Amino acid sequence: MNSPTMIAIAIAGLAIGTFAFRFAGSALRERIDISAQAERLMAASAVVLLVAVLATAALTDDGGFAGIARPAGVLVGGMLAWRKAPFLVVVVAAAATAAVLRLFGVP
Amino acid sequence: MRSVWRTVDLGLARDVALVCVAAAVIGLSYGAIAIGSGFELWLPVVMSVVVFAGASQFLFVGIVAAGGHPLAAMLAGLMVNARHVAFGLAVSDLLGRGRHRRILGSHLMTDESVAFALGQEDPERKRSAYWACGIGIFVSWNAGVLLGSAAGAAIEDTGTFGLDAAFPAVLLALVLPSLREHTTRRAALIGGAVALAATPFLPAGVPVLMALLGLLVFAGDRGAA
């Protein structure tokens, strides 16, 4: 295990850098005049990143394939959300699907 | 701040509460995993308050626990969190005026609060969704981490309850309304495919950023308009 001081420094660096990322976007947006087209592009880029986060979280684990149970759960949740099911149903169905599949030995 | 709460209706409050429960459970598992990996109690707890970005925290703990250098873990975490620059550009209007609000609002920025806000129709609802979700997740995530750290390795396996499927499903449900727009949907699908294809080959965080290539469909879209 590394020295506690070095770990604390790394955590401080991660905290400061992460805040800088969060703050930079909104600070930049304040200072520049942006066209409607650019505005649309910024909203879209946030959506694109979110979809990429959820797709990799649903399908991959440590750079490899996440197995069957997790993507199946997400798929069931997604279909329910598409059919305008209540949020609670979506989340519980996703978790339950993955849990039940694993109970039956599906990876 | 009061005007924010006035527009939080029951349906919105219920949805936010559910996202918070999910965040608390993931926080619980994060705390437990960190302690199970041999870290002292202060580490996951302090880190969750000051960094407040789950994916990068899991990555940091994983790399250091595996014997990696803390600064390498820090760089990996920063890579994962770089997407917040784009989030900040997108939700800037929701943070409100005044230095303190902008600082606080920036720190509360998460995948969930951004997705929740972008999915709402009118500006006032966007704002209340962003703040309610941000504050709620900050409280529930950190409470979860504290509990999980205290309980230790006893609750390490979240897979048994399918909770690993709950997080992507939450994001999917939140982002669906934003996918109604044709060009955005195409950009997101292409971007997601790029991220998935790149995941086996590139360090964590980079594939998600590469998804921005999907935005190229807007170039064709503009030409057509």
Side-chain angles (χ1 to χ4, degrees):
Chain A
M1 185 74 52
N2 289 278
S3 85
T5 318
M6 185 49 80
I7 292 176
I9 291 170
I11 291 176
L14 180 57
I16 292 165
T18 301
F19 180 79
F21 284 143
R22 285 173 164 142
F23 195 73
S26 73
L28 192 68
R29 179 71 183 77
E30 281 259 283
R31 272 161 188 70
I32 46 174
D33 230 5
I34 289 173
S35 66
Q37 176 75 24
E39 184 116 28
R40 192 165 153 239
L41 201 61
M42 286 183 316
S45 62
V47 174
V48 168
L49 289 169
L50 287 166
V51 168
V53 168
L54 81 86
T56 48
L59 293 168
T60 69
D61 203 349
D62 268 339
F65 187 47
I68 308 278
R70 190 197 300 171
V74 177
L75 188 67
V76 168
M79 286 193 315
L80 286 166
W82 188 254
R83 303 299 303 269
K84 303 247 186 323
F87 200 58
L88 179 67
V89 177
V90 171
V91 175
V92 172
T97 303
V100 168
L101 283 174
R102 289 198 181 111
L103 200 62
F104 287 105
V106 180
Chain B
M1 193 61 103
R2 205 175 299 142
S3 71
V4 166
W5 301 119
R6 217 182 296 137
T7 46
V8 177
D9 58 54
L10 214 62
L12 192 61
R14 195 193 49 207
D15 288 355
V16 168
L18 204 65
V19 174
C20 291
V21 171
V25 173
I26 299 168
L28 210 67
S29 70
Y30 169 70
I33 287 170
I35 299 302
S37 307
F39 291 103
E40 286 175 57
L41 184 77
W42 69 268
L43 185 132
V45 175
V46 170
M47 194 177 186
S48 293
V49 173
V50 300
V51 177
F52 188 49
S56 68
Q57 293 179 226
F58 273 106
L59 192 61
F60 184 97
V61 163
I63 290 174
V64 175
H69 197 281
L71 292 180
M74 178 190 83
L75 286 176
L78 287 173
M79 203 83 92
V80 170
N81 289 340
R83 67 182 185 284
H84 288 89
V85 177
F87 290 164
L89 282 166
V91 302
S92 177
D93 292 343
L94 311 178
L95 303 185
R97 303 277 148 206
R99 197 167 185 76
H100 290 109
R101 280 193 70 156
R102 299 195 71 82
I103 288 174
L104 184 65
S106 295
H107 190 56
L108 294 177
M109 191 182 294
T110 61
D111 293 326
E112 291 89 342
S113 55
V114 171
F116 220 129
L118 292 177
Q120 306 300 315
E121 295 289 346
D122 65 287
E124 202 53 42
R125 269 182 77 91
K126 278 182 196 285
R127 199 138 56 94
S128 23
Y130 181 83
W131 282 92
C133 196
I135 294 168
I137 289 184
F138 188 80
V139 172
S140 59
W141 163 258
N142 284 299
V145 172
L146 189 60
L147 271 176
S149 307
I155 40 174
E156 197 170 325
D157 192 12
T158 50
T160 315
F161 305 105
L163 293 170
D164 54 325
F167 166 68
V170 164
L171 267 190
L172 182 55
L174 289 177
V175 88
L176 268 182
S178 306
L179 292 175
R180 265 186 237 126
E181 206 265 320
H182 172 73
T183 316
T184 302
R185 186 170 60 236
R186 261 204 312 156
L189 287 177
I190 293 171
V194 170
L196 284 174
T199 296
F201 310 108
L202 296 173
V206 182
V208 165
L209 296 178
M210 285 189 62
L212 289 173
L213 285 173
L215 290 172
L216 286 172
V217 300
F218 276 87
D221 184 56
R222 194 186 304 169

